[in-house]
Amino acid sequence: MGDNDLIILIGLAAVAGFLLLRLRNVLGERGGFEDHERIRRAKEAGAQSSAEGSNGVVTPMPQRPQSDQDDDIFAYAEPNSELGQALRSIKETDPSFEVGGFMDGAKGAYELILTAFENGDKKGLKPYLEKEVYDAFADAIDQREAQGLSVEMRFVGFRSAEPIEASLDQGSRKAEVSVRFNAEVVTATRNESGEVVEGDPSAVRRITDVWTFGKIVPSRDPVWLLVATGG
């Protein structure tokens, strides 16, 4: 794949990411508005329970306004959870970090990297993968080509995507966020004769991956590299 093709691929991924964001309800993805509403109701219920006296009368309690920082975290994690505290640590170290913006970028990166890998585009993969992960992906591509296999893949969309773990190393200032992706793809592997040896070119298949993205924070470089993969 040439540079022009890579530019076109990245452009298409960006457009696809925008359209997927608009179509999140159609694809069944959990949306930020839904999470904010759930959190708001939970907070109101907790405040009412705490304010009830022994006689059952609700006493008005002063409410501490939540910061935009906390609201951004609460859309994806419970306030006092390990995940929520880790995301807050990252935001405190790098005020430019936004969980929602990170998730949009993670979904775009997932589609871009997955598509480039299935197409055997090692050059397209390299800027987005940490060296150890890149080497593993490149070896898999080389083995596939050595066996005379080729992959056809069409990315359909996300059913869901959510952060499940985060950490910040205070020494190195390296932040890592693991995201569970539930996606739908159409994929088929063919041999040198063009016969399908795996998958189905006419069937949508659901896949689940846990990918971990890492970055030194704060940093002028906006790119979070893929540092680990799992199922």
Side-chain angles (χ1 to χ4, degrees), residues 119-147:
N119 289 337
D121 180 15
K122 292 189 287 186
K123 187 175 181 180
L125 287 171
K126 198 165 189 178
Y128 308 103
L129 277 58
E130 205 167 60
K131 185 180 185 306
E132 184 177 346
V133 179
Y134 171 78
D135 290 343
F137 274 50
D139 287 345
I141 291 174
D142 291 341
Q143 292 178 19
R144 191 170 64 202
E145 291 178 349
Q147 296 172 7

PDB file of all heavy atoms in Angstrom, residues 119-147:
ATOM      1  N   ASN A 119      -5.307  -6.030   6.268  1.00  0.00           N
ATOM      2  CA  ASN A 119      -4.842  -5.740   4.909  1.00  0.00           C
ATOM      3  C   ASN A 119      -3.344  -5.965   4.746  1.00  0.00           C
ATOM      4  O   ASN A 119      -2.803  -5.766   3.659  1.00  0.00           O
ATOM      5  CB  ASN A 119      -5.187  -4.297   4.525  1.00  0.00           C
ATOM      6  CG  ASN A 119      -6.665  -4.093   4.303  1.00  0.00           C
ATOM      7  OD1 ASN A 119      -7.411  -5.033   4.009  1.00  0.00           O
ATOM      8  ND2 ASN A 119      -7.128  -2.856   4.449  1.00  0.00           N
ATOM      9  N   GLY A 120      -2.668  -6.324   5.833  1.00  0.00           N
ATOM     10  CA  GLY A 120      -1.229  -6.556   5.757  1.00  0.00           C
ATOM     11  C   GLY A 120      -0.425  -5.286   5.596  1.00  0.00           C
ATOM     12  O   GLY A 120       0.703  -5.316   5.079  1.00  0.00           O
ATOM     13  N   ASP A 121      -0.948  -4.182   6.061  1.00  0.00           N
ATOM     14  CA  ASP A 121      -0.310  -2.872   5.881  1.00  0.00           C
ATOM     15  C   ASP A 121       0.588  -2.555   7.081  1.00  0.00           C
ATOM     16  O   ASP A 121       0.202  -1.833   7.993  1.00  0.00           O
ATOM     17  CB  ASP A 121      -1.388  -1.798   5.707  1.00  0.00           C
ATOM     18  CG  ASP A 121      -0.801  -0.413   5.521  1.00  0.00           C
ATOM     19  OD1 ASP A 121       0.415  -0.306   5.233  1.00  0.00           O
ATOM     20  OD2 ASP A 121      -1.547   0.568   5.676  1.00  0.00           O
ATOM     21  N   LYS A 122       1.815  -3.072   7.071  1.00  0.00           N
ATOM     22  CA  LYS A 122       2.742  -2.858   8.181  1.00  0.00           C
ATOM     23  C   LYS A 122       3.150  -1.388   8.299  1.00  0.00           C
ATOM     24  O   LYS A 122       3.323  -0.871   9.413  1.00  0.00           O
ATOM     25  CB  LYS A 122       3.969  -3.742   8.012  1.00  0.00           C
ATOM     26  CG  LYS A 122       3.667  -5.227   8.185  1.00  0.00           C
ATOM     27  CD  LYS A 122       4.926  -6.067   8.229  1.00  0.00           C
ATOM     28  CE  LYS A 122       5.563  -6.191   6.854  1.00  0.00           C
ATOM     29  NZ  LYS A 122       6.708  -7.127   6.866  1.00  0.00           N
ATOM     30  N   LYS A 123       3.287  -0.724   7.184  1.00  0.00           N
ATOM     31  CA  LYS A 123       3.663   0.688   7.211  1.00  0.00           C
ATOM     32  C   LYS A 123       2.573   1.528   7.881  1.00  0.00           C
ATOM     33  O   LYS A 123       2.854   2.474   8.618  1.00  0.00           O
ATOM     34  CB  LYS A 123       3.923   1.200   5.796  1.00  0.00           C
ATOM     35  CG  LYS A 123       4.474   2.608   5.735  1.00  0.00           C
ATOM     36  CD  LYS A 123       4.812   2.996   4.304  1.00  0.00           C
ATOM     37  CE  LYS A 123       5.389   4.403   4.256  1.00  0.00           C
ATOM     38  NZ  LYS A 123       5.721   4.797   2.855  1.00  0.00           N
ATOM     39  N   GLY A 124       1.328   1.178   7.628  1.00  0.00           N
ATOM     40  CA  GLY A 124       0.223   1.901   8.236  1.00  0.00           C
ATOM     41  C   GLY A 124       0.083   1.632   9.725  1.00  0.00           C
ATOM     42  O   GLY A 124      -0.434   2.462  10.474  1.00  0.00           O
ATOM     43  N   LEU A 125       0.571   0.465  10.180  1.00  0.00           N
ATOM     44  CA  LEU A 125       0.475   0.107  11.587  1.00  0.00           C
ATOM     45  C   LEU A 125       1.533   0.793  12.451  1.00  0.00           C
ATOM     46  O   LEU A 125       1.262   1.149  13.605  1.00  0.00           O
ATOM     47  CB  LEU A 125       0.644  -1.409  11.750  1.00  0.00           C
ATOM     48  CG  LEU A 125      -0.510  -2.307  11.312  1.00  0.00           C
ATOM     49  CD1 LEU A 125      -0.066  -3.764  11.338  1.00  0.00           C
ATOM     50  CD2 LEU A 125      -1.711  -2.110  12.230  1.00  0.00           C
ATOM     51  N   LYS A 126       2.706   0.975  11.902  1.00  0.00           N
ATOM     52  CA  LYS A 126       3.877   1.352  12.704  1.00  0.00           C
ATOM     53  C   LYS A 126       3.698   2.607  13.552  1.00  0.00           C
ATOM     54  O   LYS A 126       4.129   2.627  14.717  1.00  0.00           O
ATOM     55  CB  LYS A 126       5.097   1.509  11.792  1.00  0.00           C
ATOM     56  CG  LYS A 126       6.409   1.455  12.538  1.00  0.00           C
ATOM     57  CD  LYS A 126       7.578   1.245  11.596  1.00  0.00           C
ATOM     58  CE  LYS A 126       8.851   0.969  12.380  1.00  0.00           C
ATOM     59  NZ  LYS A 126      10.001   0.701  11.477  1.00  0.00           N
ATOM     60  N   PRO A 127       3.058   3.695  13.057  1.00  0.00           N
ATOM     61  CA  PRO A 127       2.969   4.915  13.878  1.00  0.00           C
ATOM     62  C   PRO A 127       2.076   4.779  15.100  1.00  0.00           C
ATOM     63  O   PRO A 127       2.121   5.646  15.980  1.00  0.00           O
ATOM     64  CB  PRO A 127       2.385   5.948  12.896  1.00  0.00           C
ATOM     65  CG  PRO A 127       2.598   5.388  11.539  1.00  0.00           C
ATOM     66  CD  PRO A 127       2.515   3.917  11.704  1.00  0.00           C
ATOM     67  N   TYR A 128       1.283   3.710  15.191  1.00  0.00           N
ATOM     68  CA  TYR A 128       0.265   3.624  16.241  1.00  0.00           C
ATOM     69  C   TYR A 128       0.518   2.499  17.241  1.00  0.00           C
ATOM     70  O   TYR A 128      -0.277   2.315  18.162  1.00  0.00           O
ATOM     71  CB  TYR A 128      -1.114   3.455  15.609  1.00  0.00           C
ATOM     72  CG  TYR A 128      -1.408   4.496  14.570  1.00  0.00           C
ATOM     73  CD1 TYR A 128      -1.332   4.205  13.209  1.00  0.00           C
ATOM     74  CD2 TYR A 128      -1.723   5.808  14.944  1.00  0.00           C
ATOM     75  CE1 TYR A 128      -1.581   5.178  12.257  1.00  0.00           C
ATOM     76  CE2 TYR A 128      -1.957   6.784  13.992  1.00  0.00           C
ATOM     77  CZ  TYR A 128      -1.886   6.458  12.650  1.00  0.00           C
ATOM     78  OH  TYR A 128      -2.122   7.426  11.702  1.00  0.00           O
ATOM     79  N   LEU A 129       1.603   1.754  17.062  1.00  0.00           N
ATOM     80  CA  LEU A 129       1.883   0.605  17.911  1.00  0.00           C
ATOM     81  C   LEU A 129       3.244   0.759  18.581  1.00  0.00           C
ATOM     82  O   LEU A 129       4.213   1.210  17.964  1.00  0.00           O
ATOM     83  CB  LEU A 129       1.896  -0.699  17.102  1.00  0.00           C
ATOM     84  CG  LEU A 129       0.565  -1.391  16.812  1.00  0.00           C
ATOM     85  CD1 LEU A 129      -0.391  -0.485  16.056  1.00  0.00           C
ATOM     86  CD2 LEU A 129       0.816  -2.677  16.023  1.00  0.00           C
ATOM     87  N   GLU A 130       3.306   0.394  19.876  1.00  0.00           N
ATOM     88  CA  GLU A 130       4.586   0.313  20.557  1.00  0.00           C
ATOM     89  C   GLU A 130       5.401  -0.800  19.903  1.00  0.00           C
ATOM     90  O   GLU A 130       4.848  -1.756  19.375  1.00  0.00           O
ATOM     91  CB  GLU A 130       4.365   0.032  22.045  1.00  0.00           C
ATOM     92  CG  GLU A 130       5.500   0.493  22.931  1.00  0.00           C
ATOM     93  CD  GLU A 130       5.121   0.485  24.403  1.00  0.00           C
ATOM     94  OE1 GLU A 130       4.782  -0.600  24.923  1.00  0.00           O
ATOM     95  OE2 GLU A 130       5.165   1.555  25.037  1.00  0.00           O
ATOM     96  N   LYS A 131       6.720  -0.684  19.953  1.00  0.00           N
ATOM     97  CA  LYS A 131       7.583  -1.559  19.169  1.00  0.00           C
ATOM     98  C   LYS A 131       7.290  -3.043  19.378  1.00  0.00           C
ATOM     99  O   LYS A 131       7.199  -3.811  18.417  1.00  0.00           O
ATOM    100  CB  LYS A 131       9.051  -1.274  19.481  1.00  0.00           C
ATOM    101  CG  LYS A 131      10.012  -2.080  18.599  1.00  0.00           C
ATOM    102  CD  LYS A 131      11.444  -1.796  18.920  1.00  0.00           C
ATOM    103  CE  LYS A 131      12.360  -2.518  17.938  1.00  0.00           C
ATOM    104  NZ  LYS A 131      12.112  -3.973  17.852  1.00  0.00           N
ATOM    105  N   GLU A 132       7.145  -3.465  20.625  1.00  0.00           N
ATOM    106  CA  GLU A 132       6.906  -4.882  20.888  1.00  0.00           C
ATOM    107  C   GLU A 132       5.606  -5.361  20.253  1.00  0.00           C
ATOM    108  O   GLU A 132       5.543  -6.465  19.690  1.00  0.00           O
ATOM    109  CB  GLU A 132       6.879  -5.123  22.399  1.00  0.00           C
ATOM    110  CG  GLU A 132       6.728  -6.582  22.777  1.00  0.00           C
ATOM    111  CD  GLU A 132       6.782  -6.806  24.279  1.00  0.00           C
ATOM    112  OE1 GLU A 132       7.206  -5.869  25.001  1.00  0.00           O
ATOM    113  OE2 GLU A 132       6.407  -7.902  24.732  1.00  0.00           O
ATOM    114  N   VAL A 133       4.573  -4.542  20.331  1.00  0.00           N
ATOM    115  CA  VAL A 133       3.291  -4.908  19.729  1.00  0.00           C
ATOM    116  C   VAL A 133       3.411  -4.892  18.202  1.00  0.00           C
ATOM    117  O   VAL A 133       2.888  -5.784  17.519  1.00  0.00           O
ATOM    118  CB  VAL A 133       2.178  -3.954  20.193  1.00  0.00           C
ATOM    119  CG1 VAL A 133       0.852  -4.316  19.546  1.00  0.00           C
ATOM    120  CG2 VAL A 133       2.040  -4.005  21.707  1.00  0.00           C
ATOM    121  N   TYR A 134       4.101  -3.876  17.670  1.00  0.00           N
ATOM    122  CA  TYR A 134       4.284  -3.811  16.214  1.00  0.00           C
ATOM    123  C   TYR A 134       4.999  -5.063  15.714  1.00  0.00           C
ATOM    124  O   TYR A 134       4.608  -5.638  14.689  1.00  0.00           O
ATOM    125  CB  TYR A 134       5.069  -2.571  15.825  1.00  0.00           C
ATOM    126  CG  TYR A 134       5.471  -2.579  14.363  1.00  0.00           C
ATOM    127  CD1 TYR A 134       4.543  -2.253  13.374  1.00  0.00           C
ATOM    128  CD2 TYR A 134       6.754  -2.968  13.976  1.00  0.00           C
ATOM    129  CE1 TYR A 134       4.892  -2.306  12.025  1.00  0.00           C
ATOM    130  CE2 TYR A 134       7.105  -3.029  12.638  1.00  0.00           C
ATOM    131  CZ  TYR A 134       6.178  -2.692  11.669  1.00  0.00           C
ATOM    132  OH  TYR A 134       6.517  -2.754  10.350  1.00  0.00           O
ATOM    133  N   ASP A 135       6.065  -5.477  16.403  1.00  0.00           N
ATOM    134  CA  ASP A 135       6.815  -6.653  15.965  1.00  0.00           C
ATOM    135  C   ASP A 135       5.917  -7.889  15.922  1.00  0.00           C
ATOM    136  O   ASP A 135       6.017  -8.713  15.002  1.00  0.00           O
ATOM    137  CB  ASP A 135       7.999  -6.899  16.909  1.00  0.00           C
ATOM    138  CG  ASP A 135       9.088  -5.842  16.770  1.00  0.00           C
ATOM    139  OD1 ASP A 135       9.089  -5.121  15.756  1.00  0.00           O
ATOM    140  OD2 ASP A 135       9.931  -5.734  17.690  1.00  0.00           O
ATOM    141  N   ALA A 136       5.024  -8.029  16.909  1.00  0.00           N
ATOM    142  CA  ALA A 136       4.118  -9.182  16.936  1.00  0.00           C
ATOM    143  C   ALA A 136       3.135  -9.127  15.768  1.00  0.00           C
ATOM    144  O   ALA A 136       2.870 -10.147  15.115  1.00  0.00           O
ATOM    145  CB  ALA A 136       3.373  -9.223  18.263  1.00  0.00           C
ATOM    146  N   PHE A 137       2.597  -7.947  15.511  1.00  0.00           N
ATOM    147  CA  PHE A 137       1.673  -7.787  14.390  1.00  0.00           C
ATOM    148  C   PHE A 137       2.385  -8.056  13.060  1.00  0.00           C
ATOM    149  O   PHE A 137       1.844  -8.724  12.173  1.00  0.00           O
ATOM    150  CB  PHE A 137       1.092  -6.373  14.387  1.00  0.00           C
ATOM    151  CG  PHE A 137      -0.117  -6.198  15.256  1.00  0.00           C
ATOM    152  CD1 PHE A 137      -0.124  -6.635  16.581  1.00  0.00           C
ATOM    153  CD2 PHE A 137      -1.260  -5.574  14.781  1.00  0.00           C
ATOM    154  CE1 PHE A 137      -1.241  -6.475  17.393  1.00  0.00           C
ATOM    155  CE2 PHE A 137      -2.382  -5.403  15.579  1.00  0.00           C
ATOM    156  CZ  PHE A 137      -2.367  -5.854  16.881  1.00  0.00           C
ATOM    157  N   ALA A 138       3.597  -7.515  12.914  1.00  0.00           N
ATOM    158  CA  ALA A 138       4.346  -7.694  11.667  1.00  0.00           C
ATOM    159  C   ALA A 138       4.687  -9.157  11.438  1.00  0.00           C
ATOM    160  O   ALA A 138       4.609  -9.659  10.299  1.00  0.00           O
ATOM    161  CB  ALA A 138       5.621  -6.841  11.697  1.00  0.00           C
ATOM    162  N   ASP A 139       5.074  -9.875  12.502  1.00  0.00           N
ATOM    163  CA  ASP A 139       5.378 -11.301  12.372  1.00  0.00           C
ATOM    164  C   ASP A 139       4.141 -12.079  11.922  1.00  0.00           C
ATOM    165  O   ASP A 139       4.229 -12.994  11.089  1.00  0.00           O
ATOM    166  CB  ASP A 139       5.878 -11.853  13.706  1.00  0.00           C
ATOM    167  CG  ASP A 139       7.291 -11.402  14.039  1.00  0.00           C
ATOM    168  OD1 ASP A 139       7.979 -10.900  13.126  1.00  0.00           O
ATOM    169  OD2 ASP A 139       7.698 -11.533  15.213  1.00  0.00           O
ATOM    170  N   ALA A 140       2.984 -11.739  12.476  1.00  0.00           N
ATOM    171  CA  ALA A 140       1.740 -12.430  12.097  1.00  0.00           C
ATOM    172  C   ALA A 140       1.423 -12.180  10.621  1.00  0.00           C
ATOM    173  O   ALA A 140       0.987 -13.095   9.912  1.00  0.00           O
ATOM    174  CB  ALA A 140       0.590 -11.953  12.976  1.00  0.00           C
ATOM    175  N   ILE A 141       1.645 -10.945  10.169  1.00  0.00           N
ATOM    176  CA  ILE A 141       1.406 -10.625   8.752  1.00  0.00           C
ATOM    177  C   ILE A 141       2.357 -11.421   7.870  1.00  0.00           C
ATOM    178  O   ILE A 141       1.956 -11.988   6.840  1.00  0.00           O
ATOM    179  CB  ILE A 141       1.567  -9.117   8.516  1.00  0.00           C
ATOM    180  CG1 ILE A 141       0.422  -8.353   9.192  1.00  0.00           C
ATOM    181  CG2 ILE A 141       1.599  -8.804   7.022  1.00  0.00           C
ATOM    182  CD1 ILE A 141       0.583  -6.838   9.138  1.00  0.00           C
ATOM    183  N   ASP A 142       3.635 -11.485   8.253  1.00  0.00           N
ATOM    184  CA  ASP A 142       4.631 -12.218   7.462  1.00  0.00           C
ATOM    185  C   ASP A 142       4.291 -13.703   7.401  1.00  0.00           C
ATOM    186  O   ASP A 142       4.403 -14.335   6.328  1.00  0.00           O
ATOM    187  CB  ASP A 142       6.024 -12.030   8.069  1.00  0.00           C
ATOM    188  CG  ASP A 142       6.547 -10.605   7.904  1.00  0.00           C
ATOM    189  OD1 ASP A 142       6.016  -9.878   7.030  1.00  0.00           O
ATOM    190  OD2 ASP A 142       7.474 -10.221   8.644  1.00  0.00           O
ATOM    191  N   GLN A 143       3.876 -14.291   8.505  1.00  0.00           N
ATOM    192  CA  GLN A 143       3.522 -15.714   8.526  1.00  0.00           C
ATOM    193  C   GLN A 143       2.313 -15.980   7.637  1.00  0.00           C
ATOM    194  O   GLN A 143       2.264 -16.989   6.922  1.00  0.00           O
ATOM    195  CB  GLN A 143       3.242 -16.153   9.959  1.00  0.00           C
ATOM    196  CG  GLN A 143       4.466 -16.161  10.861  1.00  0.00           C
ATOM    197  CD  GLN A 143       4.134 -16.555  12.285  1.00  0.00           C
ATOM    198  OE1 GLN A 143       3.086 -17.150  12.551  1.00  0.00           O
ATOM    199  NE2 GLN A 143       5.015 -16.213  13.223  1.00  0.00           N
ATOM    200  N   ARG A 144       1.355 -15.066   7.688  1.00  0.00           N
ATOM    201  CA  ARG A 144       0.154 -15.225   6.867  1.00  0.00           C
ATOM    202  C   ARG A 144       0.509 -15.188   5.379  1.00  0.00           C
ATOM    203  O   ARG A 144       0.023 -16.005   4.583  1.00  0.00           O
ATOM    204  CB  ARG A 144      -0.833 -14.108   7.214  1.00  0.00           C
ATOM    205  CG  ARG A 144      -2.227 -14.286   6.645  1.00  0.00           C
ATOM    206  CD  ARG A 144      -3.154 -13.256   7.274  1.00  0.00           C
ATOM    207  NE  ARG A 144      -2.765 -11.894   6.933  1.00  0.00           N
ATOM    208  CZ  ARG A 144      -3.100 -10.813   7.640  1.00  0.00           C
ATOM    209  NH1 ARG A 144      -3.811 -10.944   8.743  1.00  0.00           N
ATOM    210  NH2 ARG A 144      -2.718  -9.617   7.262  1.00  0.00           N
ATOM    211  N   GLU A 145       1.368 -14.236   5.008  1.00  0.00           N
ATOM    212  CA  GLU A 145       1.761 -14.114   3.606  1.00  0.00           C
ATOM    213  C   GLU A 145       2.592 -15.315   3.163  1.00  0.00           C
ATOM    214  O   GLU A 145       2.475 -15.777   2.020  1.00  0.00           O
ATOM    215  CB  GLU A 145       2.537 -12.811   3.411  1.00  0.00           C
ATOM    216  CG  GLU A 145       1.673 -11.564   3.573  1.00  0.00           C
ATOM    217  CD  GLU A 145       2.474 -10.283   3.414  1.00  0.00           C
ATOM    218  OE1 GLU A 145       3.738 -10.364   3.391  1.00  0.00           O
ATOM    219  OE2 GLU A 145       1.859  -9.200   3.318  1.00  0.00           O
ATOM    220  N   ALA A 146       3.427 -15.828   4.069  1.00  0.00           N
ATOM    221  CA  ALA A 146       4.254 -16.991   3.738  1.00  0.00           C
ATOM    222  C   ALA A 146       3.401 -18.221   3.461  1.00  0.00           C
ATOM    223  O   ALA A 146       3.798 -19.107   2.679  1.00  0.00           O
ATOM    224  CB  ALA A 146       5.238 -17.272   4.871  1.00  0.00           C
ATOM    225  N   GLN A 147       2.234 -18.282   4.085  1.00  0.00           N
ATOM    226  CA  GLN A 147       1.313 -19.404   3.870  1.00  0.00           C
ATOM    227  C   GLN A 147       0.393 -19.175   2.675  1.00  0.00           C
ATOM    228  O   GLN A 147      -0.452 -20.015   2.380  1.00  0.00           O
ATOM    229  CB  GLN A 147       0.471 -19.611   5.130  1.00  0.00           C
ATOM    230  CG  GLN A 147       1.277 -20.028   6.342  1.00  0.00           C
ATOM    231  CD  GLN A 147       0.454 -20.033   7.622  1.00  0.00           C
ATOM    232  OE1 GLN A 147      -0.764 -19.851   7.596  1.00  0.00           O
ATOM    233  NE2 GLN A 147       1.103 -20.223   8.749  1.00  0.00           N
TER     234      GLN A 147
END
